[in-house]
Amino acid sequence: MRYYNGRGKDVAEYLRDVDSLRKQIGKTKTIEELMGFEGNIRRRYYAAWNVIVNQEIKFEKRVMHPPDNMINSLISFVNTLIYTKVLSEIYHTQLNPTISYLHEPGVRRFSLSLDIAEVFKPLIGDRLIFSLLNRKQITEDSFTKELNFLHLKKDASKLIVSELEKRLKQSVMHKDLGRQVSYQYLLRLESYKLIKHLIGEKEYEGFRIWW
């Protein structure tokens, strides 16, 4: 939101609301209270999408099972792609992808990829979605209207996959490593940080944008 607020999208109201909610997180005493704040923050964040996106989307809340409109369908598709990318990077480490810490672990799903993806969905997934929508690369015509916009057409799916690959190949100067690393490699570095935490080498701190 800060990124777009400085680029002609007035989401200052939503930023203030989120900051106010964040300041109260330290007062929580139970997981349920913490999840309540998280839910309220997400609602304000998603409400800001109506300002950020240049199309008429009327988007208010995240609905997943199943998605109930074009935006939720798009988010679900992009998030699935990110989960897959994270999982592929976890496989380059010694971590067990079925053992997670934020999401309920289970042997039938790779829930650790959901954990690590949470850190990167706004940076990689949401920004990709904003770009696709604001450039009109994805519109209502990209979806099957007969299925209530729940299904992306084949060409639209291919476009999204291609644009995500391009984004993951982009690189930034890593503040600790002192060299350029790709966005995709950032996913693997997050796994390494978790390993260092588990073996007692360095306490884990979630990824934050430094550029």
Side-chain angles (χ1 to χ4, degrees):
M1 286 194 291
R2 289 194 184 97
Y3 175 86
Y4 283 96
N5 195 57
R7 288 164 173 77
K9 301 291 185 180
D10 185 7
V11 293
E13 170 194 344
Y14 304 97
L15 277 169
R16 286 193 297 269
D17 290 345
V18 169
D19 283 337
S20 176
L21 289 164
R22 286 177 61 191
K23 290 175 182 176
Q24 300 178 63
I25 286 176
K27 301 176 184 177
T28 59
K29 293 182 172 60
T30 66
I31 292 175
E32 290 73 20
E33 286 180 316
L34 181 60
M35 290 178 68
F37 277 107
E38 179 193 16
N40 288 329
I41 287 172
R42 284 182 181 274
R43 274 191 286 275
R44 295 309 289 157
Y45 170 58
Y46 285 128
W49 283 41
N50 293 284
V51 178
I52 295 172
V53 175
N54 293 333
Q55 299 186 43
E56 290 293 329
I57 61 172
K58 296 180 181 178
F59 182 58
E60 296 178 358
K61 63 180 180 178
R62 181 80 176 100
V63 177
M64 292 178 281
H65 302 298
D68 64 346
N69 58 35
M70 159 185 155
I71 300 299
N72 275 312
S73 296
L74 185 56
I75 294 173
S76 292
F77 182 75
V78 171
N79 284 353
T80 298
L81 296 177
I82 294 176
Y83 297 147
T84 303
K85 289 295 181 181
V86 170
L87 181 60
S88 71
E89 295 303 320
I90 292 174
Y91 280 139
H92 286 88
T93 74
Q94 295 80 28
L95 292 169
N96 183 334
T98 66
I99 299 175
S100 55
Y101 305 90
L102 294 177
H103 296 81
E104 190 72 25
V107 294
R108 293 188 178 182
R109 69 171 185 166
F110 303 115
S111 46
L112 182 59
S113 65
L114 306 183
D115 282 5
I116 296 176
E118 285 294 330
V119 185
F120 294 98
K121 285 191 296 186
L123 170 64
I124 299 174
D126 293 354
R127 282 197 185 181
L128 173 63
I129 290 171
F130 296 149
S131 176
L132 291 168
L133 292 173
N134 286 344
R135 292 179 180 179
K136 302 296 192 294
Q137 291 175 287
I138 296 293
T139 66
E140 284 190 351
D141 291 335
S142 304
F143 296 80
T144 305
K145 294 182 180 180
E146 293 76 13
L147 297 176
N148 197 29
F149 303 102
L150 300 184
H151 185 266
L152 277 159
K153 294 178 180 177
K154 188 174 182 179
D155 289 346
S157 299
K158 287 183 177 180
L159 171 66
I160 295 170
V161 170
S162 174
E163 290 297 318
L164 177 62
E165 291 292 342
K166 291 178 186 176
R167 189 153 298 228
L168 289 172
K169 289 177 181 177
Q170 293 177 358
S171 62
V172 294
M173 177 61 71
H174 198 281
K175 63 176 182 176
D176 295 327
L177 299 180
R179 61 182 175 86
Q180 293 285 332
V181 299
S182 68
Y183 276 40
Q184 179 150 346
Y185 195 66
L186 288 175
L187 307 179
R188 191 182 307 184
L189 289 176
E190 202 68 12
S191 299
Y192 289 150
K193 284 163 58 179
L194 182 56
I195 291 174
K196 288 183 178 181
H197 177 88
L198 293 172
I199 64 177
E201 183 176 326
K202 185 178 180 180
E203 186 174 351
Y204 174 80
E205 290 186 14
F207 173 86
R208 290 188 178 185
I209 300 175
W210 62 80
W211 62 90

